[in-house]
Amino acid sequence: MPIDEIKKHHLISVFDPIWRTKHETAKRTLGRVQEVLELASVLDYIDVNPAVFKRQVAFGRVNSKPRHHPSLEWSLAPELWQWILVHDVPEDVRQMLMAMLLTGKRTKEVRMTHWSDVNLNQLIWT
């Protein structure tokens, strides 16, 4: 479908079947679609972004409870560390995972850090 023919009702009909059953996936995917269509708007391919609408009005209220992943039992931490040391992964991945475990930083924080964020003399990461 040409981008300038996409309307709100097209997007709603595509996302409605999964909005309640795979809510997080649908929400994130609609967000990406909204970004693509926003770029099309900025570049004057379309006048209005059809992905901008009140989701609760279009799909109704979604009652979802977050499911948390269990944490690692603290007594298994040395075993995990040894597994990381010997497992066949690229070295940068190994180092990133080790940094995450030692600092409690999230994946994106470690991936997006710059050397200017780290003071090795004072052992501070800001």
Side-chain angles (χ1 to χ4, degrees), residues 20-42:
R20 286 159 213 78
T21 58
K22 299 188 181 307
H23 180 66
E24 190 61 31
T25 301
K27 189 170 74 169
R28 289 180 185 204
T29 304
L30 181 55
R32 300 299 188 282
V33 169
Q34 186 174 346
E35 288 179 17
V36 169
L37 292 170
E38 186 60 32
L39 179 60
S41 175
V42 167

Side-chain angles (χ1 to χ4, degrees), residues 8-23:
K8 290 180 197 249
H9 69 89
H10 294 122
L11 296 172
I12 292 168
S13 67
V14 166
F15 284 98
D16 189 55
I18 63 167
W19 193 257
R20 286 159 213 78
T21 58
K22 299 188 181 307
H23 180 66

Side-chain angles (χ1 to χ4, degrees), residues 37-91:
L37 292 170
E38 186 60 32
L39 179 60
S41 175
V42 167
L43 297 175
D44 289 329
Y45 292 119
I46 59 176
D47 295 325
V48 177
N49 185 341
V52 176
F53 55 86
K54 293 190 183 267
R55 296 169 182 185
Q56 187 172 337
V57 172
F59 303 115
R61 189 172 204 108
V62 176
N63 293 326
S64 62
K65 294 181 181 177
R67 291 179 293 157
H68 300 287
H69 298 286
S71 60
L72 179 71
E73 183 68 38
W74 68 269
S75 61
L76 297 175
E79 187 178 328
L80 173 62
W81 193 264
Q82 287 304 312
W83 183 86
I84 292 168
L85 290 174
V86 300
H87 196 69
D88 185 27
V89 296
E91 190 59 29

